[in-house]
Amino acid sequence: MKLRSLTTYICDAYRTNWVLVRLDTDEGIEGWGEATLEYREHTVEAAVLALRHGLAGREIGSIQGWWQDAYRDAYWRGGPVLTSALSAVEMALWDIKGKALGVPVYELLGGKLRGSVECYANGWFAGAKLPQEFAEKAREAVGWGYRALKWDPFGSAFRTLTPAALRTAMAVVEAVAEAVDGKADIIVEAHGRFELAAARQVARALEPLGVLWLEEPLIPGNLANYAWLREHTSTPISLGERLYTRWDFREVFERGCADVVQPDVSHVGGIWEARTTAALAELWQVGFAPHNPSGPVANAATLQLAACTPNFTYLETMATDVPWRAEIAAESSVVNGGVAEIPDAPGLGVRIDTEAVARYPYVRHDLRHYSGALTDIRPDDEVPLHAKEQG
């Protein structure tokens, strides 16, 4: 098969914009990828379009052959823009190959190890500000069937954390922990906020609560500090959403920086690169729980990894989303009781309606993490993404 066209779509998703990529072949098969790069959507779109030339005229079934050439010929390797663009096109190529052969992508990666995967909920906390509000929303998410919840309780903090700010954050964490006690675990997100001293305070404050992990507590760029922090706390540490390709993860494993790694299939370089990183994590006996807060195509690709990756632990799932997601995407898997079924449809198992995408054009959204609007991630008419409310 040869490439007939490559088309990009940018779709408003309230907290960000989804960047979707469609490849059409001369045999009439389409493939979908996702390069959602929050707040730099047009930049990554330009990088995706620049990859068209390298696909022209070649047999697009040779996914690794194309990827290696595209990565090499960029010259300035790595980084979020290049690898997000590579990721989107690569997952679209896998989608095409699976459809051409009539099998889900996981069959091309060794076959299914599991038919479903445990999910943890993100996005369940929209609009909450006070400890009791977080607690009430946590109880609601547990009622939907989720047995693990993740959120960032640190407001607009950056670099340092005053004693008062730490007490405020811990009041939220403790309220949620009490609300879900015995029914769900908790994951505390930090979005790469803190210098080492503040991260140490947070990690130690969390020790009595037995959280699943503390996510990205340190400002990115110093893996030596991650190794030190992990050595000096019993709180499990995770990182990886802002690392790109297996080469970025090498030092994480060699230094012992994390208990769980979280590459994002739409940023790390694609499905094969994520699977390779998982194999390295398995070698080092580190958990693998991909970052997955974006759109429907990235979610579909991550589900393919969940099916065939031995050390896959949890699927990150947005518990709620914009109401027009269902207009845009026909998704083969739904979350039911906190568990996502692995789809058996050929390719990635997701279809995109481009006419629906056009109804929700790009809207500028800025980073909320340091503005005091951290939990304002959904519109008032948000909809749950689980199949049905659990009793």
Side-chain angles (χ1 to χ4, degrees):
M1 280 186 293
K2 302 294 177 64
L3 179 71
R4 189 177 70 196
S5 63
L6 184 159
T7 312
T8 56
Y9 302 86
I10 300 181
C11 176
D12 175 36
Y14 191 82
R15 75 173 183 89
T16 183
N17 292 270
W18 296 324
V19 180
L20 306 177
V21 180
R22 173 175 167 168
L23 303 186
D24 286 280
T25 74
D26 59 359
E27 295 187 11
I29 301 175
E30 69 180 43
W32 283 95
E34 182 170 345
T36 298
L37 187 62
E38 293 91 336
Y39 324 117
R40 295 296 182 268
E41 296 94 342
H42 291 110
T43 305
V44 77
E45 180 187 37
V48 169
L49 294 173
L51 294 171
R52 283 185 297 196
H53 175 73
L55 284 166
R58 71 187 297 157
E59 170 52 55
I60 61 174
S62 178
I63 300 173
Q64 267 296 294
W66 166 79
W67 194 98
Q68 292 292 334
D69 288 350
Y71 188 67
R72 176 197 67 192
D73 293 350
Y75 190 75
W76 306 107
R77 298 183 175 188
V81 176
L82 171 62
T83 56
S84 297
L86 286 172
S87 298
V89 174
E90 191 255 19
M91 71 176 79
L93 292 174
W94 281 110
D95 193 25
I96 289 169
K97 184 179 278 285
K99 289 172 179 174
L101 297 174
V103 297
V105 168
Y106 66 71
E107 291 288 5
L108 307 176
L109 299 174
K112 185 190 289 185
L113 283 166
R114 57 182 66 86
S116 62
V117 62
E118 185 85 11
C119 301
Y120 73 80
N122 196 344
W124 53 271
F125 49 78
K129 304 292 184 185
L130 300 173
Q132 60 268 30
E133 294 170 341
F134 280 98
E136 181 55 37
K137 285 184 173 288
R139 281 189 285 268
E140 184 177 19
V142 169
W144 295 338
Y146 290 103
R147 291 183 286 277
L149 311 178
K150 182 174 85 173
W151 83 108
D152 181 336
F154 298 109
S156 58
F158 181 55
R159 294 190 181 276
T160 60
L161 197 62
T162 65
L166 178 59
R167 288 194 296 272
T168 297
M170 287 304 300
V172 172
V173 175
E174 289 163 0
V176 172
E178 182 178 356
V180 304
D181 185 35
K183 299 176 182 177
D185 294 311
I186 59 175
I187 299 165
V188 176
E189 165 75 91
H191 286 118
R193 293 173 176 275
F194 298 123
E195 294 175 342
L196 181 57
R200 180 181 64 235
Q201 286 180 296
V202 170
R204 290 181 175 173
L206 291 173
E207 286 177 350
L209 295 178
V211 300
L212 274 178
W213 63 73
L214 169 61
E215 184 165 325
E216 216 184 10
L218 289 160
I219 294 170
N222 189 330
L223 289 176
N225 276 357
Y226 266 106
W228 188 95
L229 179 64
R230 182 170 176 254
E231 185 178 352
H232 288 84
T233 182
S234 62
T235 298
I237 303 296
S238 75
L239 63 92
E241 69 189 67
R242 284 186 269 194
L243 298 176
Y244 316 106
T245 78
R246 73 196 82 168
W247 290 279
D248 275 8
F249 279 91
R250 176 186 58 82
E251 189 178 351
V252 172
F253 299 122
E254 290 179 350
R255 285 182 174 268
C257 296
D259 299 279
V260 178
V261 290
Q262 300 173 288
D264 188 312
V265 70
S266 61
H267 302 314
V268 74
I271 291 172
W272 187 265
E273 204 62 23
R275 183 64 184 86
T276 301
T277 303
L280 294 173
E282 185 180 12
L283 176 66
W284 289 95
Q285 300 175 11
V286 172
F288 180 73
H291 184 244
N292 182 44
S294 299
V297 181
N299 182 65
T302 306
L303 277 163
Q304 298 299 314
L305 289 168
C308 64
T309 304
N311 53 329
F312 198 107
T313 56
Y314 279 98
L315 176 73
E316 179 174 12
T317 303
M318 301 309 288
T320 65
D321 212 330
V322 291
W324 56 90
R325 177 166 172 153
E327 292 180 51
I328 288 164
E331 300 179 75
S332 300
S333 178
V334 294
V335 177
N336 192 350
V339 174
E341 297 296 321
I342 306 297
D344 292 322
L348 295 179
V350 63
R351 299 191 311 277
I352 301 298
D353 184 335
T354 57
E355 292 183 1
V357 170
R359 293 196 289 269
Y360 303 97
Y362 170 85
V363 175
R364 175 177 170 171
H365 300 290
D366 296 321
L367 185 69
R368 315 167 325 281
H369 297 60
Y370 309 109
S371 68
L374 181 62
T375 62
D376 298 335
I377 66 168
R378 294 289 182 259
D380 291 339
D381 57 348
E382 64 175 352
V383 295
L385 295 183
H386 54 272
K388 60 182 179 179
E389 188 162 332
Q390 302 300 299

